[in-house]
Amino acid sequence: MEREPEKYILDHSSPEDPVLEDLYRQTHLRFVNPNMVSGHLQGKFLEMITRMINPLNVLEIGTFTGYSAICMARGMKPGTQLTTIEMNDELADFARSYFIKAGVESLIIQVTGRLQDVIKSMDREFDLVFIDGDKREYTEYYRLVIDKVRAGGYLIADNVLFGGKVFDKDTSDPQARGIIEFNEMISRQTNIENLILPVRDGLMLIRKL
Ligand SMILES: C[S@@+](CC[C@H](N)C(=O)[O-])C[C@H]1O[C@@H](n2cnc3c(N)ncnc32)[C@H](O)[C@@H]1O
């Protein structure tokens, strides 16, 4: 997004709370690829949409440092559950410390492992799934989770515009290719409806019919 519209949007949206501001800063100071973090605008969007859906069970693929998990948990009621999966076990303690600082730790179950390995053991239905793992694996994630989403439930996939690289059908970037494959696969599905929103790097909203 151009700088001026982004500044205007930020100036006229609720401010980032101090815990998330600190998490964003620490993520940039301490971790490789800090730009993977959702950030304020997308985070606030995730919080609001989670509140609207009012889910009992949420699944997140790709915790990283926990920013998006905190945002979704903020939109959830006591007694509901967010399961967040992360394959990098070095991130778990750091993310947990921020779940505690944000006061949402009782809602969040952290699972360490690859989605592909751990999903089989999860025998519950999800009302909302946030897909934000490896872009080359989105199609695989979708196939593995769609039967675990309740009818009328939602999936949200991040980075579906991938910095505009998806407009180049001949791109050799493996992550862009993964996203292109995912977007095309979604377009062919008959049991869902979907919409791409140009928020940050593109968010795909999917509703299972
Ligand atoms: C873009 S980051 C997630 C950012 C986070 N959702 C946020 O908004 O702050 C992607 C994360 O997914 C993890 N990941 C990649 N492939 C995965 C897989 N197959 N299963 C679980 N986690 C995976 C990576 O280690 C990385 O930390």
Side-chain angles (χ1 to χ4, degrees), residues 160-187:
V160 295
L161 297 177
F162 209 68
K165 286 190 180 173
V166 292
F167 307 133
D168 175 10
K169 282 198 165 219
D170 301 321
T171 179
S172 56
D173 181 323
Q175 303 206 65
R177 292 231 58 80
I179 294 289
I180 290 170
E181 183 197 333
F182 173 74
N183 291 342
E184 288 178 358
M185 183 271 296
I186 292 296
S187 306

Side-chain angles (χ1 to χ4, degrees), residues 138-156:
Y138 271 29
T139 303
E140 196 180 356
Y141 301 153
Y142 179 85
R143 294 205 168 107
L144 287 166
V145 301
I146 190 64
D147 287 346
K148 294 181 185 286
V149 177
R150 73 162 168 81
Y154 291 86
L155 301 93
I156 302 176

Side-chain angles (χ1 to χ4, degrees), residues 35-50:
N35 59 329
M36 294 199 297
V37 72
S38 276
H40 179 44
L41 291 182
Q42 180 163 308
K44 198 70 194 168
F45 174 82
L46 288 172
E47 178 188 334
M48 285 199 173
I49 204 145
T50 304

